[in-house]
Amino acid sequence: QVQVVESGGESVQAGESLTLSCSASGLSFNRYAMGWFRQAPGNGREGVSCIRSIGTTYYADSVKGRFTIPRDNAKNTLYLLMNRLRPEDTAIYYCAAKLGWASCQFPHTFEAWGQGTQVTVSS
């Protein structure tokens, strides 16, 4: 059974940095595409950043140049490095996994989801 668990969310000030982690188990991690999604109150789930098994990445326009999505296949761990955080980045951040090809623009295709971790950015 594939499981993913997020950690690292907290309350920060605008302009600060934060790193989220996603630990995965029950899968051949290097065969999976991984993604970070977020949902703010009243909004739908948004694809923030995704990385395919071969390493190609996608970033939403709102986070380009501020966020990066490294993965450590040896540790079965995905990260989201968030710099220059803004109040509009406030949301619950979810990690998700999908075997094979995946796109951040189709979150419903991801097979395994974590419970989410709250990120709050104050101005």
Side-chain angles (χ1 to χ4, degrees), residues 55-70:
T56 54
T57 57
Y58 162 89
Y59 296 95
D61 287 344
S62 59
V63 306
K64 277 181 184 175
R66 299 189 298 124
F67 292 11
T68 56
I69 185 172

Side-chain angles (χ1 to χ4, degrees), residues 10-59:
E10 59 181 81
S11 296
V12 297
Q13 295 291 314
E16 293 185 341
S17 299
L18 197 60
T19 297
L20 303 183
S21 299
C22 171
S23 178
S25 60
L27 77 170
S28 296
F29 187 74
N30 60 359
R31 297 177 61 199
Y32 276 69
M34 301 295 296
W36 287 101
F37 300 82
R38 67 186 180 187
Q39 188 163 16
N43 291 353
R45 193 163 293 189
E46 172 193 18
V48 176
S49 182
C50 291
I51 182 167
R52 294 184 179 148
S53 59
I54 59 172
T56 54
T57 57
Y58 162 89
Y59 296 95

Side-chain angles (χ1 to χ4, degrees), residues 83-96:
N83 296 314
R84 302 194 304 279
L85 282 161
R86 304 168 180 169
E88 53 265 38
D89 295 318
T90 295
I92 299 174
Y93 283 71
Y94 298 90
C95 173

